[in-house]
Amino acid sequence: MDREHFAALLKSKGLKVTNQRIGVLDVLSKSKDHHLTAEEIYDLVRLDYPDIGLATVYRTVQLLLELGLIDRINLDDGCARYEISSKTTENQHHHHHLICLSCGKVFSFEEDFLERLEGHIQESMGFRVTDHEVKLYGYCKECQERRQE
Ligand SMILES: [Zn+2]
Ligand SMILES: [Zn+2]
Ligand SMILES: [Zn+2]
């Protein structure tokens, strides 16, 4: 994922290539597992583009969201968080999230075997599934170990 790729992506959506837009995409692609809030994106983009304002980041995030270049995710902590869309990166399937009920850490996982279920739903109900979101709740390895001590 580099700036040229993002520039081409913006152009393909009919958008002007601006530093702010590239900056937000860049930050999100680099911190894939961190699930940043708009404020956190702002703090990181500002390192490269000190002139950027928080309002611009909000607007940029909104725009990229509407275009499907980034996804908004809700990890049940009361914050809207963002990550680069799977459609934006090479890999087709987006990852999903494991949420630890004890420490609140979020882990990503890829495999979900839902294609079979989607095929089954299509067959039995005639409903064509085009997207899904999976969140699994439980206790991470560390928290389990801490409990046993
Ligand atoms: Zn994620
Ligand atoms: Zn935990
Ligand atoms: Zn999936």
Side-chain angles (χ1 to χ4, degrees):
M1 290 314 245
D2 52 29
R3 279 154 202 265
E4 273 164 47
H5 174 82
F6 293 137
L9 209 58
L10 290 169
K11 278 186 201 148
S12 77
K13 297 278 184 186
L15 282 182
K16 251 175 56 188
V17 178
T18 64
N19 284 342
Q20 294 94 310
R21 290 168 185 169
I22 297 279
V24 169
L25 286 171
D26 197 38
V27 158
L28 282 175
S29 77
K30 277 185 195 143
S31 39
K32 221 168 95 197
D33 282 331
H34 292 108
H35 309 105
L36 304 172
T37 65
E39 289 78 9
E40 288 165 345
I41 295 170
Y42 168 62
D43 284 337
L44 290 170
V45 175
R46 215 159 39 141
L47 300 176
D48 283 335
Y49 306 103
D51 293 339
I52 200 170
L54 182 58
T56 305
V57 169
Y58 276 125
R59 269 202 310 275
T60 305
V61 163
Q62 197 53 43
L63 179 76
L64 297 174
L65 197 62
E66 280 163 21
L67 291 170
L69 296 179
I70 64 176
D71 291 328
R72 178 167 37 213
I73 45 175
N74 169 10
L75 298 174
D76 304 312
D77 61 355
C79 297
R81 296 181 177 275
Y82 302 91
E83 65 187 11
I84 197 104
S85 166
S86 53
K87 292 156 223 145
T88 308
T89 58
E90 310 76 34
N91 106 5
Q92 294 281 325
H93 182 255
H94 47 141
H95 63 265
H96 298 302
H97 299 113
L98 307 171
I99 301 174
C100 179
L101 294 168
S102 176
C103 67
K105 269 198 205 129
V106 177
F107 305 85
S108 304
F109 70 100
E110 298 284 342
E111 211 55 59
D112 63 24
F113 311 106
L114 283 178
E115 272 160 33
R116 253 190 84 195
L117 176 66
E118 289 173 1
H120 178 72
I121 287 170
Q122 164 97 55
E123 259 171 47
S124 63
M125 302 179 68
F127 186 99
R128 191 170 66 89
V129 177
T130 58
D131 199 10
H132 62 249
E133 191 188 318
V134 180
K135 279 189 267 183
L136 300 176
Y137 300 89
Y139 298 95
C140 73
K141 221 172 149 194
E142 274 176 35
C143 287
Q144 289 176 65
E145 279 163 9
R146 209 171 301 138
R147 281 190 173 199
Q148 278 162 12
E149 273 165 21

